[in-house]
Structure formats: C-alpha cells, structure tokens
Amino acid sequence: MTVTLEVAQSSSPTSASVPMIVMEHVEKWYGQFKALSDIDLTVRTGEKIVLCGPSGSGKSTLIRCINHLEAYNKGRITVGGKVLGDDPKIIDAIRREVGMVFQQFNLFPHMTVLQNCTLSPMRTRGLDKKAAEAIARRLLDRVRILDQADKYPAQLSGGQQQRVAIARALCMEPKVMLFDEPTSALDPEMVKEVLDTMISLAEDGMTMICVTHEMGFARQVADRVIFMAAGEIIEEGHPKDFFTAPRHERTRAFLGEILRHH
Amino acid sequence: MSGQELLFLLSGLKWTLALSAVGFVTGAVFGLLIALLRTSPNAITAKIAEYYIAVFQGTPLLMQLFVVYFGLPLLGLKLDAWIAVAIGFTLHASAYLGEIWRGAIQAVPRGQTEAANALALSYWPRMKDIILPQALRISLPATVGFLVQLIKGTSLAALVGFIELSLAGKFIANQTFRPLIVYSVVGLLYFIICWPLSLYGTRLERKFAATSR
C-alpha cells in the first residue's frame, strides 16, 4: 500500500531540484556475503556520477540494483519518484526510464543493428515500426554508426558494438543512463570513440551513473566521483578535490594503483 | 522380391514417415511448453516439468506405447493403433525435446536476458524475440539427432500392430521366405532417410562451432 501512495504523491518529478535516484540505507546480500552495506546516495536530475573502486567493491552491484537486475535486501531505492519494490509493473516502468550499457555490450546477435534498436520501443512503448525506426536512425546517427544499421553485431568492431548498445538504450528515451564498465572489454584504440559518445551524452544533460576506471573521463564530465570498497561508499567528492586531495588512505592507494597504469 | 512387395514396403515407409512427422511436430509443440515450464522462475511448474521429463526419459519407449495402447482401454478409452502410437510418440518426443531445449535455453548467455530486462522487455517478448531464436540455433544439431532416433524408434510401433516399415518388412519376409534380402532392403530404406539427416546435423554442429566464437 505504501508503494502506491508514494507513487501517487510524486508522479511528476521533472524539475532539476528533484532527485532522480535516491538510495537509502540499501543493503544487498549474496548468501552470507554482504555486497552492499548501508548505501546512501542521491542523484540529482542531470547529475553525472562516476563510481570507481577495486573489483568486488560492489560498484556494479550498486547500479544493477537501480534497474532491479539485482534485488536489494534492505533499505529503499526511489527512481524518478517511484519506489522500487517487487511489483513487476513498477520494475518495468522504472526500466523503461533507465537505460543500461554493459561491459560485454550484450547486443542481440541474431538481429541487425536497427532491429536491436527498435525491438523494445515497439514492444514496450507501443511504437509502430516506422516510428521506432525513425528514432533508431536518429540515435544511430548520433553515435555516428548509422551507416552500419543493417549489419549484424558480429560484423562490427567492439567500439562500434558498444556505440550501438548506447543507441539501443537511448531509443527508449530514458531519463537516466547506467554504464557498467563500458570500455573495459574494448581494445585500447576503441576506448576513445565510446568515451566521446558518453561525453557528448553528458553535455546534453543526461543523468548518468558510470562505473569506470577512465579517470580522464571522470575529470572531464563527473559532477561527483564516488569511491567504493567492500560494499561501502568510502569517499565522494568533486573530481578536482577527489583526485588532488583524497581524504582516505584506501582512496589514495586505489588512485595510485589506477593512475600508475594510465 | 516383386514390385508389388516393394510397393507394400514403401507404403510401410509412408506410415513410418507419417508417424515420425506427427510425433515430431506435436512433440515439438508440447516439448516447447515443457522446456518453458522447466526453465520458468516458478519452482512448482519447473518441478512438474522436471518429473515429466524424468518419467519419459527413465522408462522404455516400448513400455510407454504399451501403457497407452493396452492401458488406456482399461480406463474406458478405446483408441485405434494409429492414435495410440501417435499419443505415445508425442509424449516421448515432448520429454526429450523439452530436455534438449531446456539445455539450449540455459545455454543462451545470461547477458542476453539481462539486456532484455534492462530494456523493460517482459517474459513473452524476451523469450519469443531474444532467447528462443538463439536457443533454437544452439539446439539444432541435437534436435536433428533426436529426429533420427525418433524415426528409427517408430519401428517399436510394430509391437502394438501398427503397420509401418519394419512390420511391413516382417510380413513380406514371412511371405517370401527371404528375410535376408527383405530386411536388407528395409534397413536400406531407413538408412536412406536417416543418414542425410545425420550428415545435416553434423554439418550444423560444425557451422555452429565455427560461428559461435
């Protein structure tokens, strides 16, 4: 009952002052292993956040809880004013507004680039083929890959596939984009084309949460950088402060490790 | 062997193919249902499908045919041989195809389901548009392999008096006293049907191995 009430109260949260995502005391367990511990995080509309931390620190788990790819065990997550619970209708409503880009692209290999982009808008947003293709072509053009629209994913390079994956998510016209290590599976020479796409998206005002170790990207676009370790948020700050004067020893150690390789 | 006798064998072959086709097609329909139940997130339906598969994989096909043909009439359900064997083969094929496709559905990378979920696709479009087309491709070699088994397995229908290729062969062999020639011809007919299918299955397997990297 509380769920329905709260949805009704805040059904039009579009102004910039309204938080897009609120996580309150969120906990996530895998059996005995505590993957997320007392996570408090508020993301304002239009804000760009970079999440970093060593592997196994819970950063991927955190963003995967936001679109319910993982269920959380305790606390509360609110996305666009809707409280994320177990109700499949609410979950689907939130997923329609939250795009996600994966490390391994996860394009549908049996469909062309264009079909990858039009499937969900046609199935979940009731668009006809013509309308869905118009949107898809516009967004494929935007990620500069329209000329490959009729190819299959396997015919594209990794960087091209990831740009298609970004376009596919954008075709849902989401309010938030989640990036789960989008450049980690790419050959070095393809990282830039994907980051450039993400930067242009950020410049257009998209609300973004990016799990990434690309610190150049973090410096350039992040409003806040958040450092996680062992399922907890250890430190967060504006990139300028975060990189020049990290407060915690673990953050310093991590940054030392990361920046040495760049 | 006279032309007329060969013709009789060919009419037996016709029924072998008809029974195979019916068993495979109806078995595929129910097999798909079994595979979907078996992989469903609902623990109860998944368990029911698991037991269904276990029963039909764990008992001889011949017993299954006997139960349908001799058992059901005891419950007041009188079936002619054609319907009885068709039901028997449907049950048999649905369990095996259900298990083959269960494996194929689970072999589709988890990232595909996650991407579909992230795009807000619900169960049916996710299955129909994304998982099943990929699972079908993965399962094709095993599915063709099972079809070959099924075609050869139809010879068991002879034991409930259904005149297919092998029973037709028995009639002709008894009539002509030339079992060696007659059964060789019968074997050759099975081979002509099954061998190309087996080759096709192997080719699909190779093709799949080459493109799935």
Side-chain angles (χ1 to χ4, degrees):
Chain A
M1 282 319 288
T2 50
V3 172
T4 17
L5 276 175
E6 291 185 64
V7 171
Q9 277 167 2
S10 49
S11 52
S12 57
T14 41
S15 79
S17 61
V18 177
M20 181 61 78
I21 297 166
V22 182
M23 301 178 83
E24 298 163 276
H25 307 295
V26 171
E27 272 184 25
K28 164 76 186 166
W29 295 79
Y30 292 111
Q32 295 295 308
F33 177 71
K34 200 178 198 178
L36 291 179
S37 175
D38 197 24
I39 299 293
D40 277 303
L41 175 64
T42 300
V43 181
R44 293 187 317 274
T45 302
E47 199 175 14
K48 291 106 188 80
I49 288 183
V50 164
L51 265 180
C52 60
S55 78
S57 60
K59 51 198 193 304
S60 284
T61 307
L62 189 155
I63 64 167
R64 289 161 60 88
C65 281
I66 294 170
N67 64 351
H68 204 268
L69 287 188
E70 309 276 356
Y72 58 102
N73 302 106
K74 257 188 175 175
R76 189 163 76 153
I77 299 179
T78 314
V79 183
K82 300 180 192 73
V83 176
L84 178 60
D86 292 327
D87 182 348
K89 282 208 187 76
I90 303 265
I91 293 172
D92 277 346
I94 287 174
R95 283 172 173 170
R96 280 196 292 274
E97 300 187 339
V98 179
M100 187 173 225
V101 174
F102 299 87
Q103 183 177 356
Q104 298 294 341
F105 329 136
N106 296 351
L107 293 176
F108 306 132
H110 59 300
M111 294 181 182
T112 64
V113 164
L114 191 65
Q115 288 167 337
N116 264 276
C117 291
T118 55
L119 177 68
S120 190
M122 284 163 66
R123 293 282 183 272
T124 68
R125 298 178 60 214
L127 296 187
D128 62 29
K129 194 174 171 195
K130 214 176 140 201
E133 286 189 352
I135 292 175
R137 287 185 189 283
R138 178 165 57 79
L139 290 163
L140 286 170
D141 189 34
R142 189 177 162 181
V143 302
R144 289 170 293 111
I145 201 148
L146 183 58
D147 52 329
Q148 316 280 347
D150 295 319
K151 287 196 177 164
Y152 286 87
Q155 297 170 285
L156 306 182
S157 73
Q160 290 175 320
Q161 289 190 52
Q162 194 62 299
R163 284 188 282 142
V164 171
I166 293 171
R168 179 176 72 174
L170 291 176
C171 283
M172 295 291 284
E173 303 186 324
K175 293 180 179 155
V176 185
M177 285 286 284
L178 308 173
F179 291 86
D180 190 0
E181 305 208 28
T183 57
S184 301
L186 296 175
D187 292 333
E189 74 272 21
M190 294 170 186
V191 169
K192 187 175 178 298
E193 64 185 66
V194 171
L195 289 180
D196 285 347
T197 306
M198 292 166 65
I199 290 167
S200 103
L201 196 57
E203 283 165 353
D204 285 1
M206 177 64 79
T207 309
M208 293 163 66
I209 305 182
C210 313
V211 172
T212 182
H213 290 160
E214 294 294 335
M215 293 303 145
F217 171 79
R219 277 203 190 88
Q220 193 175 342
V221 308
D223 297 308
R224 257 192 296 165
V225 181
I226 295 177
F227 174 70
M228 289 183 73
E232 289 179 60
I233 292 179
I234 303 292
E235 175 164 359
E236 59 171 272
H238 189 273
K240 225 164 84 191
D241 311 319
F242 182 86
F243 290 114
T244 51
R247 293 187 299 273
H248 286 261
E249 181 48 42
R250 280 160 108 175
T251 319
R252 277 195 287 272
F254 175 76
L255 286 177
E257 206 50 46
I258 287 285
L259 297 176
R260 192 179 314 148
H261 295 300
H262 281 75
Chain B
M1 221 167 55
S2 72
Q4 203 188 358
E5 285 155 356
L6 189 66
L7 225 56
F8 187 68
L9 285 186
L10 289 178
S11 80
L13 176 65
K14 188 183 76 191
W15 286 108
T16 289
L17 293 178
L19 182 56
S20 302
V22 168
F24 189 73
V25 171
T26 55
V29 171
F30 289 103
L32 181 61
L33 185 69
I34 292 295
L36 289 175
L37 290 176
R38 183 73 183 79
T39 53
S40 87
N42 184 324
I44 298 170
T45 58
K47 213 62 186 165
I48 292 172
E50 190 186 337
Y51 289 138
Y52 180 90
I53 292 168
V55 166
F56 287 98
Q57 284 198 333
T59 55
L61 173 57
L62 187 57
M63 293 304 116
Q64 294 159 20
L65 293 178
F66 280 176
V67 167
V68 175
Y69 186 66
F70 298 116
L72 289 184
L74 297 178
L75 301 173
L77 211 65
K78 192 85 184 83
L79 302 172
D80 76 41
W82 165 238
I83 302 291
V85 292
I87 291 174
F89 276 92
T90 298
L91 293 171
H92 173 77
S94 66
Y96 273 84
L97 290 174
E99 179 67 2
I100 289 170
W101 293 342
R102 188 271 314 157
I105 287 171
Q106 289 176 346
V108 175
R110 212 166 61 107
Q112 295 290 306
T113 302
E114 290 187 347
N117 282 337
L119 287 166
L121 289 165
S122 54
Y123 181 81
W124 282 114
R126 189 172 80 227
M127 277 296 165
K128 182 173 73 69
D129 296 322
I130 294 166
I131 305 300
L132 290 179
Q134 295 184 61
L136 184 71
R137 209 171 98 88
I138 293 171
S139 77
L140 223 46
T143 303
V144 172
F146 174 74
L147 177 59
V148 172
Q149 294 297 321
L150 189 73
I151 292 170
K152 291 186 291 182
T154 53
S155 60
L156 287 174
L159 287 148
V160 298
F162 180 77
I163 305 171
E164 39 63 74
L165 179 55
S166 64
L167 188 55
K170 190 179 168 192
F171 289 161
I172 302 296
N174 289 347
Q175 215 171 58
T176 58
F177 300 106
R178 283 178 168 162
L180 185 63
I181 290 183
V182 174
Y183 284 127
S184 297
V185 170
V186 167
L188 185 68
L189 288 174
Y190 277 112
F191 187 76
I192 289 170
I193 304 297
C194 293
W195 190 53
L197 278 174
S198 293
L199 283 183
Y200 177 60
T202 314
R203 219 185 63 191
L204 284 175
E205 202 164 345
R206 263 198 232 112
K207 196 173 132 195
F208 180 66
T211 54
S212 68
R213 269 177 284 129

